[in-house]
Amino acid sequence: MQDINAEVHKAFEVIQNGGIILYPTDTVWGIGCDATNPEAIKKIYALKQREESKSMIALINGDRMLYNIFREIPETAFQIMDLSEKPTTLILDKPHNVAPNLVGADDTLGVRIVKEPFCFKLMERMKRPLVSTSANISGQPTPKTFAEISPEILKGVDYVVNLQRDKVCKNPSTIIKLTLDSKVTIIRK
């Protein structure tokens, strides 16, 4: 068993220096960086060969981080999070305190509270949200296992977390868009 604290320390050092990491999440393997660092976010877009207009999400480790990103949060958001039986990403209006190139053209940001120990501890150390996007080139299938991640992605990140490499990933998260006027749209089940 790899030492989770040592991996958190290594990943934190890379992220502090503006690097990008490949890491296990509560759903699939992700590529991530500090959600407040626009240069690091640009590196992820370049690696994924993805247009910057296609937004990525931010992982958070609790309500405090959620309130740091959104001034107004519809009450429905808390109900959805409390009732969700699987990982759920909420797209909410008017984020702040994150890099501008992480925010969608419609002034929204997708966020997911994670309890997965590595991600949780890393964000606790960072005191910031963590960018998360699937570990694939844009348009290619999302890898379900570490072994399916392309060499291009493996070589393109600054650090590969050495945890859960034998894990078979579940499906990506449910995605629900929730506007300030509490209009709910299910984007992915």
Side-chain angles (χ1 to χ4, degrees):
M1 175 76 188
Q2 294 296 323
D3 179 6
I4 189 169
N5 293 326
E7 288 301 310
V8 166
H9 178 74
K10 289 174 192 169
F12 175 74
E13 294 291 314
V14 168
I15 286 171
Q16 281 291 98
N17 291 313
I20 61 176
I21 63 168
L22 179 65
Y23 65 102
T25 74
D26 52 340
T27 56
V28 298
W29 274 82
I31 304 170
C33 67
D34 175 347
T36 66
N37 184 330
E39 293 306 313
I41 292 167
K42 277 183 188 171
K43 289 181 192 175
I44 294 177
Y45 279 117
L47 176 59
K48 284 187 64 85
Q49 299 169 25
R50 184 177 183 151
E51 296 167 38
E52 284 200 28
S53 60
K54 289 191 171 187
S55 57
M56 297 184 284
I57 71 164
L59 300 181
I60 55 177
N61 66 1
D63 289 354
R64 175 186 240 161
M65 213 173 266
L66 185 65
Y67 279 109
N68 191 39
I69 300 173
F70 301 98
R71 285 187 184 97
E72 290 182 73
I73 303 165
E75 189 56 39
T76 316
F78 297 101
Q79 294 165 349
I80 290 169
M81 287 187 284
D82 290 344
L83 296 172
S84 294
E85 292 178 9
K86 64 181 254 189
T88 300
T89 299
L90 292 179
I91 300 173
L92 301 172
D93 290 333
K94 299 186 172 138
H96 66 281
N97 294 335
V98 293
N101 57 343
L102 189 58
V103 178
D106 58 352
D107 199 20
T108 62
L109 177 64
V111 292
R112 184 168 79 243
I113 294 180
V114 290
K115 293 174 178 68
E116 190 282 322
F118 170 79
C119 293
F120 188 89
K121 286 181 177 211
L122 178 58
M123 286 183 284
E124 204 170 55
R125 182 95 186 264
M126 292 168 58
K127 298 184 177 18
R128 294 188 171 141
L130 180 66
V131 169
S132 185
T133 183
S134 55
N136 60 324
I137 302 296
S138 205
Q140 293 183 358
T142 300
K144 299 276 189 212
T145 64
F146 180 79
E148 291 176 11
I149 298 170
S150 77
E152 194 171 358
I153 295 291
L154 291 168
K155 288 184 196 121
V157 297
D158 299 303
Y159 185 67
V160 179
V161 172
N162 192 19
L163 294 169
Q164 301 181 33
R165 293 203 177 170
D166 53 354
K167 171 183 160 185
V168 176
C169 297
K170 303 180 224 50
N171 294 322
S173 66
T174 297
I175 300 176
I176 298 173
K177 185 170 185 172
L178 187 57
T179 60
L180 285 174
D181 59 4
S182 293
K183 182 178 170 205
V184 177
T185 308
I186 297 172
I187 299 196
R188 181 173 68 201
K189 282 189 176 185

